[in-house]
Each structure stands twice: as structure tokens, then as C-alpha cells.
Amino acid sequence: MQESDIREFIDNFSYDFFKIQLVFAALGFLITIPHLTILLQNAMRTSSTNSLLIGIAFSDIFVLLQIIFDRTRNFFIAPRDNDCVLNTTYTLELLNYIGEILRDTCERSSFIFGSFLALLRLLILKSPNGFENLCKPFTGYLIVVNLLIINFLTTLYNYLKYKIVFAGYWTPPEECTMYPANYSEKIYYLIAKNEEELMNFYNNYMVVNGISRILIAVIYPVLAILLVLEIWKSAKAALKMLSQKEALERLRTARMILLMTLTYVVVTGPIGILNFIQLFIDLEMYPILNSLEGSGHIFTSLIYCLNVISHGFINYAMSTNYRKATKQVFCLKEKEEVQDRMFAKTVGAVN
């Protein structure tokens, strides 16, 4: 098989992955909306870890929205393989520009919130009486707001080096008969203000971004191991000092955070590695590697979507309060009570 054939296979495979990514991003969005609604219930806004879960859900929604917009644009609004539609209008370029800023900010924030989720729980378990302020919801909100601001300013500093410019007029081909005579539209492109300055900055940005992602991927397992040890210590101590029900609830909460920690390990590692590949290898000289690198980002983005989808299920499986809030939001508790009353009446009538 020749190099061109390999590249074509990779590109076709990536195109199919775009479709899969759109499906999972849409599914993740539909699942995250009720997940966030449940987290915002008064019964759930009781601790710093739940505040961080709210921050993660908010961040994930913006990331998923940008993926959905980008894929919808390329497949339905302005398909790149449709010569009868201009896909570089000012509106589309501006929406994509704003979306990429939000996506970059929120994706990085989501990973960092996850690490703080594990760290906070670990500190709380290690010294339940000495870190009372760490348990308060305000602490979690403070972490979320500050990290969002820092990540937004970092991302904005990068994207301010781009601008949307007018690049001429587009006229539809003759076969596009749906347009009137002499029809034209303005073409706009998002380009770098200074190419050389951008390349120097981009290399430094990718170094920092790659290091931060890999560090997070390394820190997560360490926190996970320490968290496992503290889970068992806390469970044993709780059984002696508290009721068995409270001890089990502590154990479930810690397990929930542990599972979320492990899912983040799977996501952050490959992304950090891909960033470093771009720094040390000139991918333009290796077309196959260049195609694989692009496909790799699509694949890691798909893993991100799967990670987001898992959050609600993990919370439901591990948290009693989350299950109660879920029943309250969807009125399941009332339905159960009505069914119980109907069952009791039926039994009474039979008797």
C-alpha cells in the first residue's frame, strides 16, 4: 500500500469519526442538561465537591456545544463538499471563533476541576475536623470562578492574535441554479495577525499546554491511589464513630470521585502526548503522521464525550443524595408513592 493510499484511508476514517463524534456530543449534551439540573437542586448544593461537579457540568456543556456546532456546520449548514454553499461567511467565522475560545477555556477547566475534585476529597478525608472550610460550597464555587477566569484570560491571550478578514467575493458555480443572476457573497477568513509572532507564541503555548495536560494525567493516578487508601481508612473510622448508613454514604461519595478521577486519566494522557508530538516532530515532513495526529485529536475528543456521558451515571450509581434529587426533579418519588397507594388499595380491596 502506497503512502497516498494510507493517507486517504486515514482521512476517510477520520471523516466517519466526525459523524460518530457528533452523535456522542449530542448525546452527551442531552444527558448533561438533566445532570446539571439535578446538581443545581438545593439538596445537592451542600459541599465544595458538589460545587466542583457543577463547574465540570457547565464546562462540559460549552465544549459539547462547540463540537455540535462545528460538526453541524460542516455536515449540514455549509458542507465543505457542497460547492453551492459558502462555508466562510462572517457569521460562521465569528461563531466558530467565539466557540473555539469557549471550548479551549472550558475543556482545560474541566480537566483541572476534576483534579481539584480528587484533591479536595483527599484533604477532607485526611483531616475531617481540620478542614471544615474546604467542605463548604463557597470554597468550590471560589475555585471554579477563579480557574475559569485564569483559563479564559490564557485562552483569550492566544486567540487575540487572530482576526477575521474580508477575502473577496464568492460567486456560485453555474450548476447552482437556486441563486439569482449576478449573485455574490462576501468571503471571510480567520487568520493570524502576525504569522511569525504567532508561530513563536504557539510553540510556547503548546509546551505549556502539553506539560499541564501530562502533569494532570500523572497527578490523577497519584491522587487516585491516595484517595483509595483514605477511603478505606475513613470507612473504618466512620463505622466506629458514626452509623453504618453514614459510613456507607461517605464510602460511596469517595468511590464516585475515584471513578471520575480514573475517567479523567484516560482522557488527559493522550491529549498531552499529542501536543508534545507536534513540538518535537515536523509533521509536515511526515504526511502519514500528520494525518494520524489529526485523527488522534478527533479520537481524544470522542473519548472526552464518552467521559462526559459517564458523569451522570457515576453520580447516580454512587450518591444517595443524587438519586434522591433525581427522583425529585423527575417526580419519580411522587409516582412511586401513588403506585404504592394504589397497590395498598388493591390489596385492601382483595382482602
Side-chain angles (χ1 to χ4, degrees):
M1 184 179 289
Q2 296 181 352
E3 183 177 296
S4 59
D5 295 330
I6 297 174
R7 286 187 61 192
E8 184 179 357
F9 172 78
I10 294 172
D11 292 339
N12 291 334
F13 183 74
S14 300
Y15 187 77
D16 292 333
F17 244 81
F18 276 135
K19 297 177 182 178
I20 299 172
Q21 184 191 39
L22 173 59
V23 172
F24 279 101
L27 182 61
F29 178 76
L30 293 175
I31 291 175
T32 305
I33 292 296
H35 170 58
L36 178 60
T37 304
I38 293 165
L39 291 174
L40 289 173
Q41 299 302 303
N42 290 331
M44 291 298 297
R45 290 186 281 114
T46 56
S47 67
S48 56
T49 52
N50 284 349
S51 300
L52 284 169
L53 288 173
I54 292 171
I56 290 172
F58 265 117
S59 299
D60 290 340
I61 283 174
F62 283 107
V63 175
L64 294 172
L65 279 175
Q66 173 56 15
I67 294 174
I68 292 169
F69 167 76
D70 189 54
R71 300 297 171 253
T72 303
R73 170 190 179 181
N74 291 334
F75 286 128
F76 304 108
I77 299 175
R80 295 190 181 277
D81 57 352
N82 188 349
D83 295 332
C84 293
V85 179
L86 176 64
N87 54 32
T88 55
T89 64
Y90 182 82
T91 301
L92 289 176
E93 290 295 287
L94 180 61
L95 287 174
N96 187 62
Y97 180 61
I98 295 172
E100 285 297 329
I101 291 174
L102 292 174
R103 176 179 176 173
D104 192 56
T105 299
C106 293
E107 186 177 320
R108 192 186 309 109
S109 297
S110 180
F111 292 141
I112 298 175
F113 293 158
S115 63
F116 270 90
L117 187 68
L119 180 61
L120 271 178
R121 195 63 196 178
L122 181 62
L123 292 174
I124 292 169
L125 286 173
K126 283 189 72 67
S127 185
N129 298 322
F131 292 94
E132 291 183 3
N133 289 330
L134 289 179
C135 299
K136 295 180 179 179
F138 177 76
T139 302
Y141 294 132
L142 195 63
I143 293 172
V144 167
V145 171
N146 284 321
L147 287 176
L148 277 175
I149 291 173
I150 292 171
N151 284 320
F152 175 72
L153 292 176
T154 303
T155 302
L156 193 62
Y157 181 67
N158 174 26
Y159 279 86
L160 284 177
K161 299 184 182 299
Y162 294 88
K163 61 181 178 180
I164 300 175
V165 298
F166 170 67
Y169 289 90
W170 173 82
T171 55
E174 293 181 0
E175 61 269 20
C176 303
T177 56
M178 71 284 295
Y179 295 101
N182 301 320
Y183 180 85
S184 65
E185 286 187 57
K186 292 181 178 180
I187 302 172
Y188 289 90
Y189 288 114
L190 181 66
I191 64 170
K193 294 178 180 178
N194 186 312
E195 193 70 35
E196 184 178 351
E197 179 186 350
L198 178 65
M199 287 306 299
N200 292 332
F201 169 79
Y202 183 75
N203 288 334
N204 294 329
Y205 181 79
M206 291 303 290
V207 168
V208 174
N209 200 40
I211 290 174
S212 64
R213 303 263 182 158
I214 289 179
L215 277 176
I216 290 174
V218 171
I219 289 172
Y220 269 131
V222 174
L223 288 174
I225 293 170
L226 294 175
L227 193 56
V228 168
L229 296 175
E230 288 302 321
I231 284 173
W232 295 116
K233 289 181 183 178
S234 175
K236 290 179 180 178
L239 281 172
K240 294 178 181 178
M241 300 169 58
L242 307 171
S243 67
Q244 185 176 6
K245 182 179 179 181
E246 292 178 5
L248 288 173
E249 184 58 28
R250 282 191 178 190
L251 190 59
R252 287 195 189 99
T253 302
R255 281 177 176 173
M256 175 193 72
I257 295 171
L258 175 61
L259 281 175
M260 293 188 68
T261 300
L262 293 176
T263 60
Y264 273 112
V265 172
V266 176
V267 179
T268 53
I271 294 176
I273 293 170
L274 284 172
N275 286 342
F276 266 102
I277 288 175
Q278 296 177 70
L279 295 175
F280 300 110
I281 299 177
D282 186 2
L283 296 180
E284 295 297 329
M285 297 178 62
Y286 304 94
I288 294 178
L289 282 178
N290 196 18
S291 297
L292 284 172
E293 187 272 335
S295 302
H297 278 288
I298 300 169
F299 180 70
T300 54
S301 181
L302 179 61
I303 296 176
Y304 181 93
C305 294
L306 293 172
N307 180 39
V308 172
I309 291 171
S310 72
H311 290 172
F313 294 105
I314 291 173
N315 278 262
Y316 188 85
M318 296 295 176
S319 173
T320 302
N321 289 336
Y322 187 91
R323 287 195 293 275
K324 289 179 180 178
T326 302
K327 291 178 180 179
Q328 181 182 357
V329 170
F330 296 104
C331 302
L332 296 177
K333 190 172 182 179
E334 293 179 4
K335 291 179 181 178
E336 288 178 358
E337 291 176 352
V338 170
Q339 290 174 352
D340 289 342
R341 286 197 296 269
M342 291 178 64
F343 178 76
K345 287 181 180 180
T346 303
V347 173
V350 172
N351 294 335

